[in-house]
């Protein structure tokens, strides 16, 4: 598991100055009609001069473009020179760069395999898997159904907290989507409540085939402490994570903040637990926003893991 985390987690520290840096998604999010803040055309590829007292061996010059990329973007495996990143390599509505391991990402076949009460009971065929985690009413089942383009593949209910087991869905006969129990729904029946600390955390720490966690966060509301605690725990334990912001089609009126503002606030609150900016993406199960982009991101992580 340690080797997998080392492969998928960036290792170079950087100083994060988190601002609202979201590509324009004008068809789906009219409030994001603004210049593309992730355009690299403003940044030079001429190396900055090191301080006079620094030697070449001690400090290699870095270009403005490379500094921007390392500070704000998720650089996937396979990209060595950050100056090679161009605007069209950045997925819309995200900070994710597409690299050489991105490949076939469409889902042609999905099959429910089993539900497990304990991590040790999960499938043992070592196929790569992505775990989907989030609060009980964040839209987890809806996102899974959107990804596979089939209704009711994952149970969608008006009663949050219906998923109480680790559910494995085999995709294209080669990798898994794992639906984990939602957390934080206080009104769930006592008999059905999960001890998230002992149950889900044990899965994260002991699952060698785990490529990454998709942590779903509701972008239509301000950052919630329970989501921040989860993201910070994953960061401290070195679990590869992608922040998937849901309900980005909902634009708050009146005094409520817009989804892009809530996303900015959330990222600012977790930065101390991440040496580099974790990947994040905006989605909506209503409009389909971010579906293809998220699958493409998952494909490059999966293909790198598979090598």
């Amino acid at each position: 598991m340690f080797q997998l985390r080392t492969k998928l987690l960036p290792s170079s520290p950087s100083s994060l100055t988190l601002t609202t840096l979201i590509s324009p998604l004008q068809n789906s999010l009219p409030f994001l009609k603004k210049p593309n803040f992730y355009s690299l055309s403003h940044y030079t590829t001429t190396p900055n001069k090191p301080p006079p007292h620094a030697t070449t061996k001690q400090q290699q010059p870095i270009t403005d473009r490379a500094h921007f990329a390392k500070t704000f973007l998720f650089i996937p495996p396979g990209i060595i020179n950050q100056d090679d990143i161009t605007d069209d390599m950045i997925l819309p509505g995200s900070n994710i760069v597409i690299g050489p391991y991105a490949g076939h990402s469409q889902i042609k076949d999905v099959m429910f395999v089993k539900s497990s009460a304990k991590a040790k009971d999960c499938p043992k065929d070592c196929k790569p898997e992505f775990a989907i985690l989030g609060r009980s009413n964040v839209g987890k089942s809806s996102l899974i159904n959107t990804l596979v383009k089939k209704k009711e593949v994952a149970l969608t209910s008006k009663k949050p907290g219906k998923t109480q087991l680790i559910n494995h869905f085999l995709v294209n006969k080669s990798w898994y989507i794992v639906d984990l129990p939602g957390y934080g729904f206080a009104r769930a029946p006592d008999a059905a409540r999960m001890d998230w600390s002992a149950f889900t955390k044990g899965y994260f720490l002991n699952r060698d085939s785990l490529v990454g966690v998709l942590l779903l966060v509701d972008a239509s509301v301000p950052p919630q402490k329970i989501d921040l605690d989860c993201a910070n725990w994953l960061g401290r334990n070195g679990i590869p994570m992608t922040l998937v912001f849901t309900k980005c089609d909902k634009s708050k009126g009146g005094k409520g903040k817009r989804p892009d503002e809530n996303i900015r606030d959330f990222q600012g609150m977790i930065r101390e637990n991440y040496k580099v900016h974790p990947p994040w993406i905006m989605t909506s199960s209503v409009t389909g926003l971010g579906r293809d982009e998220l699958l493409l991101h998952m494909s490059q992580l999966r293909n790198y893991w598979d090598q």
Side-chain angles (χ1 to χ4, degrees), residues 114-124 129 163-168 178-181 194-207 209:
K114 67 176 299 188
S115 295
S116 306
K118 299 179 180 179
K120 66 179 183 179
D121 298 326
C122 292
K124 297 178 173 62
E129 57 191 49
T163 301
Q164 299 297 334
L165 299 168
I166 302 174
N167 298 307
H168 274 75
V178 184
D179 187 11
L180 294 176
M194 304 304 302
D195 182 350
W196 191 81
S197 295
F199 181 67
T200 310
K201 290 182 180 180
Y203 165 84
F204 292 139
L205 296 173
N206 299 296
R207 191 67 176 165
S209 55

Side-chain angles (χ1 to χ4, degrees), residues 143 244-249 281-285 289-290 294:
L143 178 72
V244 179
F245 291 101
T246 65
K247 305 181 183 180
C248 290
D249 57 289
I281 189 169
M282 302 174 73
T283 68
S284 167
S285 60
L289 173 70
L294 178 56

Side-chain angles (χ1 to χ4, degrees), residues 119-148:
K120 66 179 183 179
D121 298 326
C122 292
K124 297 178 173 62
D125 52 6
C126 296
K127 288 182 172 65
E129 57 191 49
F130 290 90
I132 298 183
L133 179 67
R135 282 189 295 117
S136 297
N137 59 347
V138 74
K140 188 160 50 72
S141 296
S142 296
L143 178 72
I144 294 175
N145 293 334
T146 298
L147 289 177
V148 303

Side-chain angles (χ1 to χ4, degrees), residues 70-97:
K70 190 167 77 169
T71 301
F72 295 111
L73 303 180
F74 170 72
I75 312 299
I79 294 182
I80 299 175
N81 187 352
Q82 291 160 351
D83 281 326
D84 293 336
I85 299 173
T86 58
D87 289 350
D88 58 1
M89 294 170 63
I90 305 171
L91 292 177
S94 81
N95 73 329
I96 299 169
V97 176

